[in-house]
Amino acid sequence: MIDDIAQPDTEELDLPRLLAALSDPGRLAMVRTLDDSGEESCARILEEVGRGYSKSTMSHHLKVLREAGLTRTRVEGSRRYVSLRRGDLDARFPGLLDAVLEA
């Protein structure tokens, strides 16, 4: 069974909420990882970025990113896969993600 977890539609993406989500260094590192690699499992993100973070903190960060509309989470069996919503973000706020990731 494959399910998508709810996230805001493209037209509902809110700039202050996106910027607030990106203001945390851990979340920004997650977004950079996803931008470089595409879709990753939550376990792999924890492995790549989560040194020094608890699982619950990482889960919270992933939830903030998803609810802000930066990421999409897909459930497949007992695993969750996260990807960056680059197309949606570029459509709503052209150039924003590139500017943030290059800073």
Side-chain angles (χ1 to χ4, degrees):
M1 177 181 202
I2 298 174
D3 294 313
D4 283 329
I5 296 176
Q7 75 249 329
D9 291 330
T10 304
E11 54 278 350
E12 295 173 341
L13 297 177
D14 178 65
L15 185 59
R17 191 167 188 183
L18 289 171
L19 294 175
L22 290 168
S23 69
D24 181 273
R27 291 192 292 263
L28 184 57
M30 290 178 190
V31 170
R32 284 193 171 115
T33 296
L34 292 169
D35 189 52
D36 290 342
S37 65
E39 186 177 67
E40 291 284 359
S41 69
C42 289
R44 182 77 175 141
I45 294 169
L46 181 61
E47 192 177 290
E48 289 280 322
V49 181
R51 294 174 195 94
Y53 291 107
S54 68
K55 279 178 109 175
S56 63
T57 298
M58 290 297 289
S59 292
H60 170 74
H61 285 323
L62 289 168
K63 179 183 176 188
V64 169
L65 292 173
R66 185 185 75 247
E67 289 179 349
L70 285 154
T71 61
R72 173 175 286 112
T73 302
R74 178 176 64 85
V75 178
E76 189 172 329
S78 63
R79 296 190 177 183
R80 292 175 183 240
Y81 296 91
V82 181
S83 59
L84 191 59
R85 293 179 60 186
R86 181 168 267 288
D88 294 337
L89 293 163
D90 288 343
R92 182 83 165 106
F93 303 109
L96 173 69
L97 195 55
D98 287 329
V100 169
L101 294 176
E102 290 173 12

